[in-house]
Amino acid sequence: MKYNCTVISVADINAARKFYEDLFGLEVFQDYGRNIAFTCGLALQQDFDWLVHLPKESILRKSNNVELCFEEQDFDSFLHKLKKYPNIECLGEVIEHSWGQRVIRFYDLDGHIIEVGENMKMVIKRFLASGMTIDEVSVKMDVSFEDLTKLQNS
């Protein structure tokens, strides 16, 4: 068996497509009108209730029980880009997790939680550039030296 994709419910397929293409740079793999699949494995579905044979009122907005996660090489530039979307509701400010990754969470147009985090390779580079040794980075990130090396070489 092979994992295929994640399908999320959207109210307006065209608005959602534009949002994901413009903000995240996603590329369309297949466009079936009310269903659009991106090359990354995310798919958008308008009329989700019809697709899954559930009552329309059972399709919840802001269910807060799943998030779509993205990593960004240039996190600071992404934050500037996000500011161009004044109607986006953020779930707080940028936070830095104990392992050093900076992230921001917000709702997309249809109330799905989106997390955009700093690319983990960039976190390692930032720590090394600050003068930390690879051993100190390993301790800070709570990751073995071997896993750090794998991540750096990926």
Side-chain angles (χ1 to χ4, degrees):
M1 184 173 301
K2 176 186 166 201
Y3 173 77
N4 190 29
C5 72
T6 299
V7 180
I8 61 172
S9 173
V10 299
D12 180 332
I13 195 76
N14 295 318
R17 175 184 179 162
K18 181 172 177 24
F19 176 79
Y20 280 93
E21 285 179 324
D22 292 352
L23 185 57
F24 301 101
L26 299 189
E27 296 177 17
V28 171
F29 175 61
Q30 295 173 317
D31 182 345
Y32 300 111
R34 58 182 162 175
N35 177 283
I36 293 173
F38 294 105
T39 56
C40 66
L42 175 65
L44 311 175
Q45 177 70 46
Q46 186 171 304
D47 303 321
F48 192 76
D49 56 309
W50 164 83
L51 177 71
V52 297
H53 304 283
L54 288 171
K56 191 175 272 302
E57 62 273 7
S58 71
I59 307 302
L60 305 176
R61 185 173 165 77
K62 289 188 178 179
S63 61
N64 295 327
N65 61 1
V66 68
E67 70 178 1
L68 302 176
C69 298
F70 296 86
E71 281 193 346
E72 173 60 45
Q73 289 271 120
D74 189 346
F75 187 72
D76 293 319
S77 290
F78 175 80
L79 293 176
H80 290 295
K81 188 176 186 181
L82 184 62
K83 287 180 184 176
K84 296 178 183 172
Y85 294 81
N87 296 328
I88 293 297
E89 181 184 350
C90 289
L91 283 79
E93 300 292 321
V94 172
I95 62 169
E96 184 172 319
H97 287 292
S98 60
W99 56 88
Q101 183 186 36
R102 297 178 296 154
V103 302
I104 188 160
R105 290 183 177 88
F106 53 92
Y107 291 109
D108 74 358
L109 304 178
D110 294 282
H112 303 103
I113 297 174
I114 305 291
E115 174 192 288
V116 175
E118 184 178 20
N119 176 283
M120 293 303 289
K121 279 175 101 167
M122 300 308 292
V123 174
I124 296 167
K125 283 185 179 183
R126 181 166 46 86
F127 284 156
L128 293 173
S130 76
M132 292 175 75
T133 66
I134 195 71
D135 290 332
E136 291 170 329
V137 173
S138 175
V139 169
K140 169 72 176 166
M141 294 180 76
D142 194 25
V143 177
S144 70
F145 176 80
E146 293 77 20
D147 283 345
L148 280 180
T149 304
K150 273 192 237 175
L151 186 57
Q152 283 182 298
N153 296 328
S154 65

